[in-house]
Amino acid sequence: MIDEVVMLRHGRTSFNLNRRLQGQIDVPLDIIGQWQVDQSGFELAQRYYWAKIGNVARNPQLLAQPGPGAARRSDIGEYRAAPASRRRMAVISSDLFRAQQTAHAFADPLGLSVELDARLRERSFGQWEGMTREEIREMDPQAYDSWRRHEGGELAYGVESREAAGKRGADAMRSIVTDPKYADEPTTLMVVGHGSWIAATIETLIGMDIDGLDNLGGVRNGFWSRLSVAHAINGASVDTPIWQLDAFNEAPPIARLVDWENGPEDLRTPGAPLWKPFGL
């Protein structure tokens, strides 16, 4: 059964850089976003390297074999006997392309497949999708201020509420972790999605006030969070799995050494704007 869930946000896009609300608009990663997810993918692939061993053990056709003149063949028995083979990794991604690119940055080095699920799409921002915050404020300052205060002013423009986005995400997670196809062995689930969706989903799963101003806050591009999922208490099964947040906004070590949002200088397009925090 699934007892660990990792939620990874996609890397930077041109909409992120220009402060446009993406919502469910399908936008690919930009060059810095690809760098971000490669760094995070490499780091996570190292942490979860056991997943490659387990995958080969279950799929022996994936084990490379030498030519006919070799002294011996690669031994699938080594993989099947390794403790790593007793655990499984599943990777599920939003079907939006930026999330797919991010999922493959982790899954491909480990030889894992990626399943797509539209329930993992970003919160819909309705008529505001594609707009900057400045444009929204100019169009309707009262709705904008209400949105920033978590009072729901955005709903008049067809924006999905935080509560609805969190419920959509939490319902999807509860459905996935109780899926009988994962019942036969311990499983870690890698979920690749979007910032607002991830925050709202986690807040819902752990019982936070999703509209409170003291909630988890933003999820950075290419960062991940980890949750434990308990299916029993003191040996007694529970009807609804219990979720615990173990880490929020984790990152690869390189994120502390460079300008993460803008990437290495040799990847920056000449003349392109630099990402800056809100208010600067």
Side-chain angles (χ1 to χ4, degrees):
M1 64 181 62
I2 295 172
D3 54 17
E4 179 185 28
V5 175
V6 182
M7 293 188 178
L8 172 63
R9 185 191 176 193
H10 65 79
R12 196 185 84 174
T13 71
S14 61
F15 272 42
N16 291 144
L17 178 60
N18 292 292
R19 298 298 197 183
R20 295 192 177 277
L21 294 184
Q22 290 177 114
Q24 298 185 6
I25 297 175
D26 206 1
V27 182
L29 302 178
D30 66 11
I31 187 172
I32 301 302
Q34 186 63 61
W35 172 82
Q36 290 172 337
V37 302
D38 284 342
Q39 304 312 307
S40 295
F42 294 153
E43 174 66 22
L44 288 165
Q46 290 182 77
R47 294 190 185 191
Y48 293 100
Y49 182 78
W50 56 261
K52 180 173 183 176
I53 302 303
N55 192 44
V56 171
R58 294 178 192 86
N59 302 280
Q61 73 277 9
L62 299 177
L63 182 59
Q65 293 290 350
R72 58 170 299 171
R73 292 177 60 78
S74 300
D75 183 5
I76 189 63
E78 292 181 315
Y79 290 77
R80 289 172 171 164
S85 69
R86 301 178 197 131
R87 188 171 186 88
R88 171 176 49 199
M89 169 72 76
V91 184
I92 301 180
S93 170
S94 158
D95 61 343
L96 297 178
F97 190 63
R98 58 190 182 272
Q100 293 188 48
Q101 290 174 281
T102 303
H104 281 284
F106 166 74
D108 290 358
L110 300 178
L112 302 174
S113 61
V114 176
E115 179 182 340
L116 304 183
D117 192 327
R119 295 176 297 176
L120 279 55
R121 285 189 174 195
E122 178 60 297
R123 178 187 180 191
S124 170
F125 281 90
Q127 297 173 47
W128 287 0
E129 290 192 354
M131 298 178 67
T132 66
R133 284 160 175 77
E134 291 74 19
E135 290 168 345
I136 295 169
R137 187 190 293 116
E138 182 178 350
M139 180 179 69
D140 190 335
Q142 289 184 330
Y144 176 86
D145 290 342
S146 174
W147 169 49
R148 301 304 296 165
R149 293 193 301 265
H150 294 192
E151 294 174 352
E154 70 274 21
L155 304 184
Y157 291 90
V159 179
E160 184 179 20
S161 70
R162 288 182 176 84
E163 181 180 3
K167 183 179 185 302
R168 172 165 59 88
D171 287 349
M173 290 299 97
R174 292 173 181 135
S175 173
I176 292 169
V177 301
T178 56
D179 190 322
K181 73 180 181 181
Y182 298 117
D184 59 337
E185 59 186 323
T187 300
T188 293
L189 176 66
M190 175 66 69
V191 174
V192 185
H194 309 266
S196 294
W197 181 91
I198 289 173
T201 296
I202 292 175
E203 289 161 0
T204 303
L205 288 170
I206 65 176
M208 291 185 70
D209 177 5
I210 199 166
D211 285 317
L213 293 176
D214 59 347
N215 56 12
L216 290 174
V219 180
R220 295 172 69 182
N221 288 115
F223 279 35
W224 63 87
S225 302
R226 294 182 292 107
L227 300 100
S228 299
V229 187
H231 297 264
I233 299 178
N234 297 325
S237 298
V238 293
D239 294 333
T240 302
I242 299 170
W243 297 76
Q244 175 179 303
L245 180 61
D246 298 322
F248 183 72
N249 260 347
E250 287 197 312
I254 195 173
R256 298 190 295 270
L257 305 175
V258 300
D259 181 350
W260 177 257
E261 274 72 25
N262 290 300
E265 290 188 7
D266 61 355
L267 297 184
R268 299 176 192 171
T269 304
L274 293 177
W275 186 95
K276 295 180 180 180
F278 291 120
L280 296 181

